[in-house]
Amino acid sequence: MILLDYPYVSDFLIDTIVTNQFPVVATKEAKEILRDRKINWINEADAISQVKNVALMPVYTNSENSIAWIQQNLQGTRLPEMIETFKNKFKFRQLIKEAYPDYFFRSISLSDLRDTDISNFKFPFIIKPAVGFFSIAVHKVDRKEDWPDIVGKIEKQIEKTKALYPKEVVSNTEFIIEEYIRGEEYAFDCYFDQDGKPTILNVLHHVFTSEYDVSDRVYSSSKEVIERLHQPIMDFLLMVGSKIELKNFPLHIEIRETSPGKINPIEVNPMRFGGWCTTADLTWFAYGINSYEYFFSSQKPDWKKVFEGRKDKKYSLILLDNQSDVAQEDIAYFDFDAIAKDFENPLHVRKVNMDKFGVFGFLFTETSKGNEKELTEILHSDLKKYMILK
């Protein structure tokens, strides 16, 4: 069954639900999102009963916001505990610490940040909410002298975030401090089937402008990336599966490759693929793989067939966020037509309410080998050229 919630459900996911008649829990939010569509509704009481009584019931949610519903209604099942294990970065680090025995991490509360002596910490390190989303309040700390300024930024960011997301999505009190993982960053969608075997659905390279950049501007997938990292990721998933039983369970995971073929996880997001229907939808636009259908039917990609005709292509997910000095209230609208024209093959343009969510939208693209300049330019752009001012 599927749990739907705000902030965003893509047309592609909605069409997939309608076509397959996947059962959708009839929450208030889901009924608002799917109004006037032919939906295979399951009322909340029946949904709760099924999850509690049917072993290994596959459940998918598009949004972190649904975690609150699960925690409130599905106590006594495996789901709340598994969600907490993955969403709480400190607990997850404890789960896998035997596989990474030299990795430094510790938990700390927001109220204790200013008074914490970090002199003996391993520099550089990353501080972020123990339960977090969308790179909110994530900071790299290089020197002890930078600590007071960073704490001040965190306090302001958390206060602003309280109005946007529930506490289950962004913890307002607990943080994790962990050593900075050097290497290239990647993200991937996967699931464990009913036998506990993992399947990888996509792998994307998260590109940054520098080691200080923590933005989500560009993620790119390709034959080269998927083939090179497939086995190291499978080995990692099998290790995780040996620590906690995972069956009929989807995940979105971020990692860094610390040396060729060796990976270290950054965070694991349970019961969903990439937020805002991003990475799963890109997998469809890029490779013709419907990740939602693959999860519910335990299908595995035939990568050899998928890559036929796609050997020299790169498929990217681009976050259109405001990194300029232009105030949000001064922007009349964002010129999506103009930005699409600056790309070789835009696959899909996704518009988002900037005033409500703080981003303009997302762009899905196909780029030919040798034309990566368009991705480099958008990575470094403040997008001001696409902003139409009032």
Side-chain angles (χ1 to χ4, degrees), residues 22-280:
F22 290 139
V24 178
V25 183
T27 61
K28 173 179 174 290
E29 293 78 12
K31 287 187 287 187
E32 290 174 353
I33 293 166
L34 298 174
R35 65 182 66 186
D36 302 324
R37 302 301 292 263
K38 186 180 179 181
I39 302 299
N40 179 15
W41 293 111
I42 176 172
N43 67 56
E44 293 184 71
D46 287 344
I48 294 167
S49 176
Q50 285 191 27
V51 175
K52 289 186 175 181
N53 294 303
V54 179
L56 305 176
M57 168 69 69
V59 180
Y60 179 83
T61 178
N62 69 300
S63 172
E64 299 278 319
N65 294 359
S66 294
I67 291 174
W69 188 94
I70 294 169
Q71 291 178 333
Q72 292 165 11
N73 295 287
L74 297 179
Q75 293 298 324
T77 73
R78 64 195 180 105
L79 295 181
E81 181 181 357
M82 289 199 299
I83 288 172
E84 176 66 11
T85 297
F86 291 119
K87 281 301 297 175
N88 189 303
K89 298 176 180 65
F90 181 73
K91 289 186 177 181
F92 179 67
R93 281 293 171 192
Q94 288 181 310
L95 178 73
I96 63 169
K97 63 182 179 181
E98 290 183 2
Y100 302 91
D102 300 323
Y103 187 77
F104 164 75
F105 67 98
R106 63 167 292 181
S107 178
I108 187 170
S109 66
L110 176 63
S111 59
D112 291 336
L113 290 183
R114 286 195 174 276
D115 297 326
T116 297
D117 183 1
I118 63 171
S119 301
N120 296 321
F121 286 9
K122 186 175 181 179
F123 290 89
F125 64 80
I126 297 291
I127 180 168
K128 53 188 173 182
V131 180
F133 180 59
F134 223 43
S135 297
I136 296 169
V138 178
H139 293 272
K140 181 171 178 279
V141 183
D142 291 287
R143 307 177 306 156
K144 178 182 177 181
E145 292 76 16
D146 298 334
W147 185 243
D149 182 54
I150 289 174
V151 171
K153 291 179 180 178
I154 289 172
E155 290 171 341
K156 291 179 181 178
Q157 289 170 330
I158 290 297
E159 188 62 32
K160 182 179 179 180
T161 302
K162 287 179 181 178
L164 294 178
Y165 299 99
K167 67 179 185 301
E168 290 85 2
V169 175
V170 180
S171 170
N172 292 326
T173 57
E174 295 301 319
F175 282 75
I176 182 173
I177 289 175
E178 54 185 349
E179 72 176 79
Y180 179 71
I181 305 171
R182 298 187 183 278
E184 292 298 304
E185 185 169 316
Y186 298 85
F188 63 93
D189 292 332
C190 65
Y191 71 86
F192 285 76
D193 66 18
Q194 62 183 4
D195 298 318
K197 297 179 181 178
T199 292
I200 299 168
L201 295 168
N202 199 358
V203 184
L204 301 97
H205 184 195
H206 185 183
V207 188
F208 297 98
T209 58
S210 72
E211 65 175 313
Y212 300 100
D213 182 13
V214 294
S215 70
D216 293 314
R217 174 59 63 81
V218 176
Y219 290 80
S220 295
S221 179
S222 65
K223 175 180 182 290
E224 183 276 330
V225 166
I226 293 174
E227 289 186 338
R228 188 174 61 80
L229 288 177
H230 193 275
Q231 191 56 54
I233 289 174
M234 285 295 291
D235 293 340
F236 167 76
L237 292 175
L238 290 170
M239 180 274 292
V240 173
S242 72
K243 304 290 184 182
I244 181 172
E245 185 180 63
L246 297 171
K247 294 183 177 181
N248 285 340
F249 201 78
L251 295 159
H252 175 75
I253 302 177
E254 298 176 7
I255 59 173
R256 279 189 185 261
E257 186 180 26
T258 55
S259 61
K262 293 185 179 181
I263 63 176
N264 196 327
I266 300 171
E267 65 176 61
V268 181
N269 297 283
M271 296 194 66
R272 66 170 177 88
F273 303 133
W276 292 67
C277 300
T278 50
T279 56

